[in-house]
Amino acid sequence: MRDKIKALLEDVLPIVDFDSDFLFSELDSLGVTTILMTLSDNYGISLEAADATPKNLKTLDSIVALVERKLAEKKG
């Protein structure tokens, strides 16, 4: 799943370094919105502005964890 998410996000935000340990600091509001919309559309999950925290978007691994959490909530 990590590789798929990385590929998806690199397609929509090619100048962002998704291997960075400080990913959130590289993102502007448009980048954050793009990430949330891309993941919502591709995984059929609901990501809100409240999910756009530095903790959730700190690294690619934290983004993957967010998606996994939302998928688990969806299956409920």
Side-chain angles (χ1 to χ4, degrees), residues 6-73:
K6 183 177 180 184
L8 282 170
L9 297 180
E10 284 177 339
D11 282 347
V12 294
L13 295 169
I15 61 170
V16 175
D17 178 10
F18 286 97
D19 293 318
S20 171
D21 288 336
F22 303 100
L23 178 59
F24 187 78
S25 65
E26 294 187 30
L27 299 171
D28 60 12
S29 59
L30 182 60
V32 170
T33 302
T34 300
I35 288 173
L36 296 180
M37 288 175 48
T38 300
L39 296 175
S40 292
D41 291 347
N42 280 278
Y43 287 95
I45 55 178
S46 178
L47 292 170
E48 308 295 330
D51 295 313
T53 64
K55 180 182 176 191
N56 286 339
L57 301 176
K58 182 179 179 190
T59 64
L60 182 59
D61 288 335
S62 60
I63 293 172
V64 172
L66 171 64
V67 171
E68 289 173 340
R69 222 174 25 254
K70 291 293 184 172
L71 287 171
E73 289 173 11

